[in-house]
Amino acid sequence: MPRVARRKSKSGIYHIIMRGINRQILFEENEDCIKFIQTLQRYRNICKYRLYAYCLMGNHLHLLLMEDTEPLGNVMRRICSSYVLWYNKKYDRAGYLFQDRFKSEPVEDDAYFLSVLRYILQNPVKAGIVTKIEDYTWTNYIDYIEGNNKTDTDFALDIFSTNRKEAVRSFIEYINKANDDKCLDMLEKRQLTDEEAKKIIKDHCHIDHAHDLQKFTANKRNLYLKDLKESYGLSIRQIERLTGIGRGIIQRA
């Protein structure tokens, strides 16, 4: 079946999702996240795209950017190829790391731009990894607060106000507000059933029953909980229900 043509953005701005092939983890260690962010910044200088937001999760990531001198497809090939070359060398592996084709949607107006920005930055909270946006390291949320030039924050802040102090205050209020934003990822995501989640827990943790996870030492249990949240996308509520482990422990893992 031929591929559906990618929708072209009139504004040049896109919300992009890249996933690991066959649920492959993209970021095993903090160093991997740091390297990917450095790769984004390197090609931002080369390709001249504007990077408004990023969020690195276990087996996928979100970007919000505007293409410039190079088309989006070329930009993503450069970023992916560079990171995969480094990743494969580090982990002594070969072959593909990312899913064959990244997903994207055009962002054509300020209102939807802000919705996508909020959706990306709230991703770790909605996934149950953290309870506060600022507690997740691998987004550029802090760039908007501190005013550095690691990512392109002016465009979003100027939508709120030309007064920078007021703009940052409004940004924090807006980004942290509860919402039902529906963006690209929401349209394709399906909640795992309890049976599917139980199988993941048993297979990944090598146990006979989901509640056996309680029997591990705290360190080992917390490593598995982190994997279940970040790599497999299980929610805190679902893990709590299936394993009997308290919500606070799961949130902190």
Side-chain angles (χ1 to χ4, degrees):
M1 181 180 294
R3 289 179 173 179
V4 176
R6 193 178 300 281
R7 290 169 59 200
K8 184 72 175 173
S9 171
K10 295 177 182 177
S11 68
I13 301 175
Y14 294 89
H15 172 205
I16 298 156
I17 300 174
M18 296 195 292
R19 299 185 181 281
I21 190 169
N22 297 323
R23 291 181 179 255
Q24 167 75 41
I25 294 177
L26 300 173
F27 311 105
E28 297 273 1
E29 301 173 348
N30 288 350
E31 181 189 30
D32 304 344
C33 293
I34 293 169
K35 181 63 178 180
F36 190 85
I37 293 168
Q38 289 173 342
T39 303
L40 286 175
Q41 292 170 343
R42 176 189 173 199
Y43 283 104
R44 174 174 166 239
N45 293 328
I46 294 172
C47 304
K48 306 302 180 185
Y49 58 78
R50 296 182 184 179
L51 180 61
Y52 302 117
Y54 64 78
C55 178
L56 312 186
M57 305 289 279
N59 64 356
H60 72 283
L61 62 96
H62 293 262
L63 302 174
L64 180 59
L65 62 77
M66 183 172 75
E67 63 183 1
D68 192 336
T69 58
E70 291 197 34
L72 183 64
N74 289 357
V75 168
M76 302 312 298
R77 277 191 291 274
R78 281 177 177 265
I79 293 170
C80 293
S81 297
S82 179
Y83 180 72
V84 172
L85 184 66
W86 176 87
Y87 185 96
N88 283 355
K89 183 177 181 180
K90 176 183 176 180
Y91 292 105
D92 192 25
R93 69 184 293 277
Y96 298 107
L97 177 63
F98 291 101
Q99 206 167 264
D100 181 46
R101 196 184 193 210
F102 66 90
K103 295 183 180 295
S104 68
E105 63 171 343
V107 178
E108 303 289 19
D109 57 63
D110 289 353
Y112 192 58
F113 176 90
L114 292 179
S115 293
V116 173
L117 179 64
R118 178 166 62 186
Y119 179 74
I120 290 174
L121 297 179
Q122 283 195 2
N123 215 249
V125 175
K126 291 188 174 181
I129 299 170
V130 294
T131 56
K132 296 180 180 179
I133 295 174
E134 60 265 30
D135 290 340
Y136 193 73
T137 304
W138 308 116
T139 75
N140 67 318
Y141 177 78
I142 196 67
D143 293 356
Y144 283 90
I145 310 303
E146 294 184 346
N148 60 52
N149 63 353
K150 293 179 181 178
T151 49
D152 297 282
T153 60
D154 286 350
F155 180 78
L157 292 175
D158 285 346
I159 295 174
F160 291 106
S161 175
T162 54
N163 178 287
R164 190 45 48 98
K165 187 175 180 179
E166 176 63 24
V168 171
R169 187 197 66 77
S170 298
F171 166 84
I172 293 171
E173 181 180 350
Y174 176 84
I175 294 298
N176 286 277
K177 187 176 181 180
N179 64 84
D180 191 29
D181 294 335
K182 288 182 169 58
C183 301
L184 181 61
D185 199 33
M186 292 289 286
L187 298 176
E188 65 176 41
K189 185 179 289 184
R190 180 180 66 84
Q191 178 67 43
L192 291 169
T193 67
D194 280 358
E195 289 305 312
E196 290 171 329
K198 278 192 286 188
K199 186 176 188 307
I200 288 172
I201 294 170
K202 290 189 290 184
D203 290 349
H204 183 69
C205 304
H206 310 291
I207 52 181
D208 294 324
H209 305 284
H211 56 74
D212 289 341
L213 190 54
Q214 297 181 40
K215 299 177 182 178
F216 290 140
T217 63
N219 286 341
K220 187 174 182 180
R221 176 202 65 205
N222 290 344
L223 287 173
Y224 278 132
L225 290 173
K226 182 179 174 67
D227 284 346
L228 293 172
K229 292 187 297 180
E230 297 187 7
S231 301
Y232 293 95
L234 273 65
S235 68
I236 290 175
R237 184 176 300 173
Q238 194 168 40
I239 296 172
E240 179 186 28
R241 183 169 65 248
L242 298 178
T243 66
I245 297 172
R247 175 180 291 262
I249 292 173
I250 299 168
Q251 287 177 334
R252 292 189 295 271

